[in-house]
Amino acid sequence: MTADRYNAREAEPRWQKVWDERGIFRTRNDDPRPKYYVLEMFPYPSGRIHMGHVRNYTMGDVLARHMRAKGYNVLHPMGWDAFGMPAENAAMERKVHPKAWTYENIGTMKKQLQSMGLSLDWNRELATCDPAYYKHQQKMFLDFLAAGLVERRQSKVNWDPVDQTVLANEQVIDGRGWRSNALVEQRELTQWFFRITAYSEELLAALDTLERWPEKVRLMQRNWIGRSEGLLVRFALDSATTPSRETELKIFTTRHDTLFGARFMAIAPDHPLATAAARKDPALAAFIAECKRHGTAQEIVETAEKKGYDTGIKAIHPFDPSWKLPVYVANFILMDYGTGAIFGCPAHDQRDLDFVNRYGLGVTPVVCPADVDPASFVVTDTAYDGDGRMINSRFLDGMSVPEAKEEVARRLEGERRGNAPVGERQVNFRLRDWGISRQRYWGCPIPVVHCEACGVVPVPEKDLPVVLPEDVTFDRPGNPLDRHPTWKHVACPECGKPARRETDTMDTFVDSSWYFVRFTDPWNADAPTDRAAADAWLPVDQYIGGIEHAILHLLYSRFFTRAMRATRHVGLDEPFAGLFTQGMVVHETYQRQDGSYAMPAEVKIEGAADARRATLTATGEEVKIGSIEKMSKSKRNTVDPDDIIGSYGADVARWFMLSDSPPERDVIWTEEGVQGAWRFVQRLWRLVQEAVAACGETTGVAGDDSAALAIRKAAHRALANVSEDIAKLRFNRCVAHVYELSNALQAGLASAKGRGASPDTRVALREATEILVQLFQPMMPHLAEECWAALGHDRLAAEAPWPQADATLLTEETLTLPVQVNGKKRADVTVPRDAANSDIEAAVLQLDAVRRALDGKAPKKIIVVPQRIVNVVA
RNA sequence: GCCCCUGUGGCGGAAUGGUAGACGCGCCUGACUCAAAAUCAGGUGGCCGCAAGGUCGUGCUGGUUCGAGUCCGGCCAGGGGCACCA
């Protein structure tokens, strides 16, 4: 064998240059072909790309190249999610300006992405930290403000009392600030909010229309929005016990059927009634302060031990004026949800039960399961939240849960106190408005001015963008914009008197909530969008990214698109018609004796299976092979894409990322896997050269010589399978089909060599080779160009139209059906494709295995599933 | 704590409710070679059997079905999200 090795290092940059020079991935908005918009979540420019990016962008690229071959005008852009905290952290730690750091990272990462051979239209590149981008974001903020979609109000933040700064949840570790180590407190600030809750109902309902979204993402969003139908109940307060003149406590409940099981009331630590009561009760004030002494993360609140403080206030049961319930301040009640107050029914809610067990408040079960005797039904440690009949509930006794809910709602609606009904049916959402204020420098400035005389004044459009000042310092914590000597001082746009700029910047989720729209006309200096371009390109046909964005980024983008519609920047509601969430890239970990981690590149692996051991290449020290985890800097189990591309080539990295694991699941990066991919690249190259040698420049249509027919069938079956699987993003199966075809082609070539190929076979072999190259072109585009050129083509493989599978080659004349007896496979039967069921049954009854099983008796039943299986029930 | 997902050979995985293990990795045998690597050909879930074949087998457990990896109930284990990481 004299075949050359395929030299990826030489070939890949060569083909990348050809693609670039011919501009074949540049997309025009006036192209008349049908559009297809494929987008991968744009990266944060953290420094270098990681394997997760390689996986994500390879998947999108396969789809983009495939759709291009299918004749679509494909939009496949790339940009940078360039604002965010890491740039400020770098500034503090390494004394480098966030802007310089960010753009340097972008430069590095762009080069890395380009070395992957992605079919991107780099002409549309954008960075969210560019004033040319955020100018339009500021304009939309003002439009949203005018449309009533922006509000300003108080909300809680994590406050570091030592650094005097606001902390992200990520910066709070075990309740302490990450730099100062001080105990974090909750603090109220006035902040800007986008009124996403104005669209709660719509965002929920429209989930049903997102048919090409994973069901689990829709479910997660549904739960996040959290619509619940319940009852608002106004409990009267015993005036003798209230701190000042409070007369009632409003609660929201979805379990009004259990009102007779009530044992206590609970209010949030920041509920106004709690604040009022604390003014007269120092111990309560201390308890509330204690509750605020941890961060704002919900996880912390809900996993904390359930604690309460009895305020001494009594609430009066709405159905019994003589029944008084104690009002507790409790650490597990959230002011953000409902009214920040509940009634506690321990028998049917686990949290309430834990609470009464701690404070000895007792339990009354009011819903009895169907199969339990009401007289003996008790609840002690486990609350019962199932269905049943009402007990211990006076006029509700004997009713079902829904009947009881209806009866309670009806009675309390009809009863009035003051001039309002005691009960009111209400739909409540868990979804909260989106707080976008950040007390940070490296973000999009919020374009408003605070004037003592005029209040909050929007920056006039002609003055946009409000540009970040560059002369800032990071020697101290806190917001550099706020302490900048001149930037915030500005004349009020309305009255001209000295005023102050807003120094908060926007949440970086705002930046990523509309970049996909901007890509449709990124050159537009006058407006955020060109309506014609945006409406023609959107929605994104296929969006691909990590599952970690299942809720926030995707929900915010859905809201933002609606807000842009309301302010006439786009004409649609849903930005992403198809969504795919890919899994993570994971790798083994290696740990030294001293517990520190070693990187895969530093380690040598020997042996197999149980005998595998790892040693440090440099010193020979043995390291422990640890669990497989998400690639991360802290575990040092990362593999640098540059190293892989440098030694094996981009095609190998791409191929391995697509092989084996289903794209929605995690993929384990292994050295063996990469080498397997590399060997396959070489094998394909040899195969194509052999095929060229065997078939020459043969063209024409193959006849049905039996060898030729077998090859053609294999090729067209692979073609049909790959076409179907790419469309469904089942790339691991595409890989398997390419392997199958190359196996079939290799066998075909070997026997053709032995016997001397007929003209028909030569034509079939050439056709199969061309199909093979086209099938892997989206996945390994450089190798495909090299092979395509070797096959004598002048045009690029990237520009070749997708071949059409010949349907007549996909069906067989006879079928071999498995035969089961009582559900267990015992034999096969081969029948003509269109055999009648009765003929199949007759053939099956002749089989030895079936006769043995029936032992002379007639079968009870024969089930023939056409084209599938036969089951004989003996 | 709440919400969501996943669990199949030695390993990654395949399987519209219809032959469990496609395809790959690894391993074994053979060819080529002085030898090794590379490459090529064949084999490869466990147990019993010379074989034909049988039998067990998709985290555990119960159910629906002619038939369950797939559907339903209960559990166990691992992972993702929880509103200021992106």
Side-chain angles (χ1 to χ4, degrees):
Chain A
M1 202 167 310
T2 56
D4 299 328
R5 276 235 174 141
Y6 171 65
N7 184 351
R9 205 185 311 200
E10 180 276 321
E12 290 185 348
R14 178 156 46 80
W15 288 113
Q16 285 161 13
K17 196 160 162 253
V18 173
W19 296 331
D20 188 43
E21 282 167 1
R22 301 203 196 169
I24 60 171
F25 303 133
R26 231 167 277 157
T27 305
R28 297 202 338 251
N29 283 357
D30 61 358
D31 190 309
R33 293 173 299 170
K35 70 97 181 179
Y36 192 86
Y37 187 176
V38 54
L39 182 68
E40 302 96 57
M41 290 179 184
F42 66 164
Y44 178 77
S46 56
R48 304 179 66 75
I49 65 166
H50 53 69
M51 281 299 170
H53 293 128
V54 174
R55 194 177 193 204
N56 191 184
Y57 301 140
T58 299
M59 288 180 191
D61 198 46
V62 171
L63 197 63
R65 286 174 177 272
H66 179 245
M67 294 310 283
R68 223 174 265 120
K70 297 270 271 190
Y72 288 85
N73 183 31
V74 173
L75 177 57
H76 187 214
M78 183 55 72
W80 308 97
D81 188 10
F83 274 138
M85 284 202 313
E88 291 192 44
N89 292 336
M92 274 184 240
E93 286 156 18
R94 272 177 271 161
K95 314 243 177 281
V96 45
H97 194 280
K99 182 177 172 182
W101 183 84
T102 302
Y103 276 101
E104 196 179 314
N105 290 347
I106 288 176
T108 308
M109 290 172 73
K110 183 174 178 179
K111 251 188 223 120
Q112 290 184 297
L113 290 183
Q114 284 171 328
S115 74
M116 281 179 63
L118 302 169
S119 65
L120 291 164
D121 182 358
W122 283 106
N123 275 1
R124 294 174 187 252
E125 179 182 4
L126 57 82
T128 57
C129 64
D130 183 347
Y133 181 84
Y134 68 68
K135 169 188 172 182
H136 303 294
Q137 191 162 305
Q138 292 174 340
K139 161 80 169 117
M140 285 191 289
F141 175 92
L142 297 177
D143 289 349
F144 293 0
L145 186 64
L149 291 169
V150 182
E151 269 181 13
R152 204 157 171 258
R153 70 172 98 105
Q154 295 273 106
S155 86
K156 281 178 282 190
V157 295
N158 298 310
W159 181 255
D160 185 321
V162 170
D163 279 352
Q164 296 281 301
T165 188
V166 177
L167 298 177
N169 281 337
E170 181 189 56
Q171 298 171 323
V172 179
I173 295 155
D174 294 331
R176 291 171 183 274
W178 66 339
R179 288 188 212 276
S180 69
N181 207 33
L183 279 170
V184 168
E185 297 166 7
Q186 291 181 13
R187 190 176 255 219
E188 296 270 342
L189 285 185
T190 305
Q191 311 221 66
W192 290 98
F193 285 82
F194 282 157
R195 290 189 51 225
I196 188 171
T197 57
Y199 292 94
S200 299
E201 197 80 63
E202 200 185 319
L203 287 167
L204 179 68
L207 285 172
D208 293 333
T209 68
L210 299 175
E211 284 160 21
R212 292 201 297 116
W213 279 42
E215 186 51 43
K216 69 168 169 180
V217 174
R218 291 195 277 170
L219 191 57
M220 282 160 84
Q221 292 212 351
R222 219 170 267 140
N223 289 332
W224 186 260
I225 296 169
R227 183 182 195 276
S228 57
E229 292 180 7
L231 199 65
L232 184 82
V233 184
R234 297 162 59 224
F235 278 69
L237 293 174
D238 178 350
S239 57
T241 63
T242 53
S244 42
R245 245 179 251 128
E246 295 82 1
T247 56
E248 65 177 25
L249 179 61
K250 279 189 201 164
I251 62 109
F252 175 79
T253 179
T254 57
R255 289 304 304 269
H256 33 292
D257 53 308
T258 64
L259 257 176
F260 288 102
R263 282 290 179 162
F264 66 97
M265 311 294 291
I267 59 176
D270 42 349
H271 192 281
L273 184 61
T275 312
R279 276 198 280 271
K280 297 188 175 169
D281 183 347
L284 174 57
F287 176 77
I288 291 171
E290 170 65 31
C291 291
K292 290 188 179 178
R293 199 160 295 146
H294 42 62
T296 56
Q298 188 166 59
E299 186 192 350
I300 307 289
V301 174
E302 289 189 25
T303 50
E305 198 179 359
K306 316 247 171 314
K307 279 188 198 161
Y309 182 94
D310 188 351
T311 58
I313 301 167
K314 302 285 182 201
I316 296 163
H317 196 282
F319 287 122
D320 184 347
S322 67
W323 184 351
K324 300 201 173 155
L325 293 154
V327 177
Y328 279 75
V329 172
N331 64 353
F332 59 94
I333 305 299
L334 302 168
M335 194 59 217
D336 294 315
Y337 185 73
T339 59
I342 60 149
F343 80 89
C345 174
H348 307 291
D349 182 287
Q350 192 61 44
R351 271 189 320 192
D352 295 349
L353 183 62
D354 295 344
F355 191 78
V356 300
N357 283 342
R358 185 181 173 100
Y359 294 102
L361 299 171
V363 182
T364 312
V366 289
V367 179
C368 183
D371 52 351
V372 173
D373 173 19
S376 62
F377 183 51
V378 286
V379 170
T380 52
D381 296 322
T382 308
Y384 176 70
D385 60 4
D387 242 337
R389 292 275 152 197
M390 302 310 298
I391 55 171
N392 302 324
S393 294
R394 308 190 192 178
F395 55 84
L396 300 175
D397 283 348
M399 290 185 187
S400 69
V401 167
E403 283 164 355
K405 278 187 185 169
E406 178 57 33
E407 181 63 18
V408 167
R410 199 183 57 75
R411 287 191 185 218
L412 292 182
E413 268 174 337
E415 199 170 317
R416 299 182 79 80
R417 195 171 54 249
N419 48 13
V422 172
E424 230 176 300
R425 284 177 222 250
Q426 215 178 51
V427 174
N428 204 33
F429 292 92
R430 209 185 73 101
L431 183 66
R432 307 200 303 254
D433 278 331
W434 174 13
I436 60 153
S437 293
R438 298 293 182 268
Q439 296 68 41
R440 294 182 215 295
Y441 167 73
W442 195 232
C444 172
I446 295 174
V448 298
V449 169
H450 299 277
C451 170
E452 278 195 21
C454 312
V456 173
V457 181
V459 172
E461 203 181 323
K462 66 174 172 52
D463 295 338
L464 297 183
V466 175
V467 181
L468 287 172
E470 298 202 8
D471 52 334
V472 284
T473 54
F474 294 90
D475 47 352
R476 282 182 283 156
N479 186 355
L481 287 182
D482 199 33
R483 60 171 184 260
H484 189 281
T486 56
W487 185 78
K488 70 177 170 185
H489 302 295
V490 65
C492 170
E494 274 179 19
C495 67
K497 285 192 208 131
R500 178 176 69 71
R501 279 194 194 286
E502 171 70 62
T503 57
D504 285 355
T505 52
M506 293 186 209
D507 179 7
T508 57
F509 271 123
V510 181
D511 313 338
S512 56
S513 288
W514 72 286
Y515 76 106
F516 45 88
V517 186
R518 185 67 189 169
F519 276 138
T520 63
D521 185 21
W523 311 281
N524 192 334
D526 304 326
T529 66
D530 173 79
R531 271 296 293 271
D535 291 354
W537 278 114
L538 292 168
V540 174
D541 294 280
Q542 187 66 58
Y543 195 34
I544 307 177
I547 184 69
E548 67 274 18
H549 294 293
I551 298 176
L552 293 180
H553 162 60
L554 290 167
L555 194 60
Y556 290 154
S557 297
R558 295 179 63 218
F559 157 72
F560 213 89
T561 305
R562 284 169 169 78
M564 286 176 77
R565 178 202 56 192
T567 49
R568 288 182 296 281
H569 291 290
V570 295
L572 85 167
D573 295 333
E574 287 296 339
F576 311 121
L579 173 70
F580 189 86
T581 54
Q582 108 251 358
M584 297 181 300
V585 182
V586 297
H587 196 284
E588 281 182 339
T589 49
Y590 307 105
Q591 220 168 353
R592 294 196 188 84
Q593 311 289 325
D594 63 6
S596 64
Y597 288 95
M599 298 192 72
E602 302 167 339
V603 165
K604 189 170 70 179
I605 308 281
E606 287 160 308
D610 291 346
R612 284 178 84 236
R613 37 193 300 279
T615 48
L616 288 181
T617 321
T619 62
E621 180 196 339
E622 177 147 5
V623 290
K624 193 176 143 230
I625 300 178
S627 59
I628 294 169
E629 297 188 42
K630 176 178 176 166
M631 284 190 180
S632 71
K633 279 184 189 152
S634 60
K635 295 287 168 67
R636 305 192 79 219
N637 58 340
T638 55
V639 173
D640 190 337
D642 266 1
D643 292 349
I644 302 300
I645 292 170
S647 41
Y648 295 100
D651 285 341
V652 167
R654 294 169 59 120
W655 184 253
F656 179 59
M657 281 288 92
L658 299 167
S659 312
D660 294 350
S661 290
E664 68 278 11
R665 259 196 259 169
D666 292 351
V667 63
I668 305 176
W669 184 274
T670 62
E671 187 61 23
E672 293 88 339
V674 184
Q675 279 172 5
W678 185 81
R679 282 200 300 268
F680 188 58
V681 165
Q682 297 301 333
R683 193 180 137 203
L684 284 173
W685 176 234
R686 276 195 308 274
L687 196 58
V688 170
Q689 289 184 97
E690 276 179 52
V692 169
C695 324
E697 293 285 318
T698 320
T699 51
V701 178
D704 44 8
D705 169 303
S706 72
L709 191 63
I711 293 162
R712 297 199 71 211
K713 278 185 173 174
H716 283 262
R717 208 176 300 120
L719 171 56
N721 286 336
V722 171
S723 305
E724 190 188 333
D725 284 331
I726 287 188
K728 292 179 180 166
L729 286 84
R730 298 195 289 206
F731 303 115
N732 57 321
R733 304 212 317 180
C734 296
V735 165
H737 300 313
V738 169
Y739 269 111
E740 275 166 342
L741 178 54
S742 62
N743 289 344
L745 186 57
Q746 192 155 357
L749 277 169
S751 74
K753 204 185 281 173
R755 295 183 290 111
S758 69
D760 275 352
T761 308
R762 289 223 304 272
V763 175
L765 285 171
R766 184 176 174 87
E767 183 195 12
T769 308
E770 299 215 332
I771 287 175
L772 176 68
V773 173
Q774 286 187 276
L775 291 187
F776 69 72
Q777 184 275 130
M779 301 185 260
M780 296 191 281
H782 311 88
L783 176 67
E785 296 293 0
E786 199 76 3
C787 294
W788 201 240
L791 282 162
H793 290 280
D794 295 327
R795 286 185 70 190
L796 293 170
E799 292 182 297
W802 195 252
Q804 187 73 40
D806 182 344
T808 61
L809 294 169
L810 301 177
T811 50
E812 300 289 341
E813 265 115 62
T814 59
L815 286 173
T816 299
L817 298 177
V819 177
Q820 297 182 330
V821 177
N822 295 331
K824 289 198 181 217
K825 196 211 160 188
R826 295 296 171 190
D828 292 299
V829 64
T830 299
V831 294
R833 184 180 171 72
D834 51 1
N837 281 3
S838 55
D839 295 338
I840 296 174
E841 284 177 24
V844 162
L845 289 173
Q846 296 308 308
L847 295 169
D848 284 346
V850 174
R851 284 156 79 163
R852 227 181 298 134
L854 288 174
D855 196 21
K857 293 189 272 288
K860 285 207 188 97
K861 203 173 178 185
I862 300 179
I863 293 149
V864 179
V865 183
Q867 325 269 309
R868 273 284 171 201
I869 202 169
V870 183
N871 191 12
V872 179
V873 185

